[in-house]
Amino acid sequence: MNKLAKSVLIATLFSLVLTACGKKDEAAAPEAAASASGAACSTVKFADIGWTDITATTAISSVVLEGLGYKAESTIASVPIAFAGVKKSQIDVFLGYWSPSMTPIVDPFLKEKAITVLDKPNLVGAKYTLAVPKYAYDAGLKSFADIAKFSKELDGKIYGIEPGNDGNKLIADMISKDAFGLKSFKMVESSEAGMLTEVSRSVKDKKWIVFLGWAPHPMNVQQDIVYLSGGDDFFGPNYGEAKVYTVVANDLATRCPNVSKFITNLEFSVGMENEVMLPIMDKKAPNEAAKEWLAKNPGVLDKWLDGVTTMDGQSGLDAVKKHLGV
């Protein structure tokens, strides 16, 4: 073989080796990307605004994610701080955007295109407005327009929940605008638990109280309460009829596509949330209550885990069922 032929042969072999190496690198690239994505998404961060319904849905989601091999963390925050956390990607997921009551809070974030609200609500059939014990309703306090008539019986107070909450803001707006003649009223802020304690005390002593009420929530079966009519301009029609939406960080779908797929699949029901909330309100750990409910109702996983894998690419449904012991 002459020198030219040898040179051609060496060059050809060298080219083949480079091509093979290149193909090997290309094949490895998706695996490396997947590995990097998995590491970046190994912890999914939720916002919990301290409402038992959001605590319940967050716990349910967290238990499923743990079955998929992820770690789930929850941060307690007020509603505005929850949205701000999602904007900064310090929070990945917030399952509690109640529409329309939270719309004034969320609108500035949407105008900035700073967060993503999923198109499909995770809950329909919810409601959020003012409520009273049935004995007060039966005595004539049936609508928002009746509240001022019973200022003495109500001690001039309307009970809200945690500061920064959208419902509190609506009450404050009514008072500041003297809507329904409420200018002399005072809003009492505390927390969900604090407000419900006050309601329980009032009912026990047959005292009058008007407060923020909502469904789903065990308060609807634990106390004999009635929702007031006439608050459409503030809480929306049909007794504050609401839909609950999921809010995610703008980059979640690209950064964590598998997690995003699961979160997008999530749908809850009023009955489901009530069942999970009851033991939580009886001081059971949220994740424990969620795990027990899921073990008894594994059928919900079929839809939630459609197209979803474990963090390492295995069958998501099989892994979560194993995690639940079903």
Side-chain angles (χ1 to χ4, degrees), residues 93-111:
V93 183
F94 174 46
L95 296 169
Y97 164 28
W98 279 63
S99 175
S101 64
M102 288 185 188
T103 299
I105 298 175
V106 77
D107 271 350
F109 293 95
L110 292 177
K111 287 176 182 177

Side-chain angles (χ1 to χ4, degrees), residues 95-230:
L95 296 169
Y97 164 28
W98 279 63
S99 175
S101 64
M102 288 185 188
T103 299
I105 298 175
V106 77
D107 271 350
F109 293 95
L110 292 177
K111 287 176 182 177
E112 289 181 51
K113 297 183 179 179
I115 61 175
T116 298
V117 177
L118 300 187
D119 292 335
K120 181 180 64 177
N122 65 52
L123 178 71
V124 296
K127 59 183 175 182
Y128 187 42
T129 190
L130 296 182
V132 296
K134 189 173 186 299
Y135 53 81
Y137 182 87
D138 291 341
L141 180 43
K142 299 178 183 293
S143 73
F144 279 61
D146 295 325
I147 297 174
K149 299 176 188 176
F150 299 100
S151 176
K152 183 178 178 181
E153 290 85 349
L154 295 167
D155 195 26
K157 296 175 182 176
I158 300 175
Y159 286 80
I161 45 180
E162 76 280 349
N165 171 265
D166 53 304
N168 288 13
K169 184 178 184 302
L170 295 175
I171 294 170
D173 286 348
M174 288 193 300
I175 292 172
S176 67
K177 294 175 181 177
D178 194 25
F180 313 107
L182 296 175
K183 188 175 182 180
S184 64
F185 272 69
K186 176 185 177 183
M187 176 176 61
V188 180
E189 293 186 308
S190 57
S191 64
E192 175 192 328
M195 181 198 74
L196 292 174
T197 296
E198 196 65 38
V199 172
S200 296
R201 288 173 181 164
S202 297
V203 170
K204 183 179 178 181
D205 297 334
K206 287 292 187 286
K207 291 175 61 178
W208 286 39
I209 184 171
V210 58
F211 58 94
L212 277 173
W214 63 90
H217 197 283
M219 73 172 84
N220 296 279
V221 293
Q222 292 174 327
Q223 305 288 354
D224 194 3
I225 63 174
V226 184
Y227 290 89
L228 300 181
S229 63

Side-chain angles (χ1 to χ4, degrees), residues 30-46:
E31 294 179 9
S35 176
S37 174
C41 303
S42 60
T43 299
V44 182
K45 296 166 289 184
F46 289 87

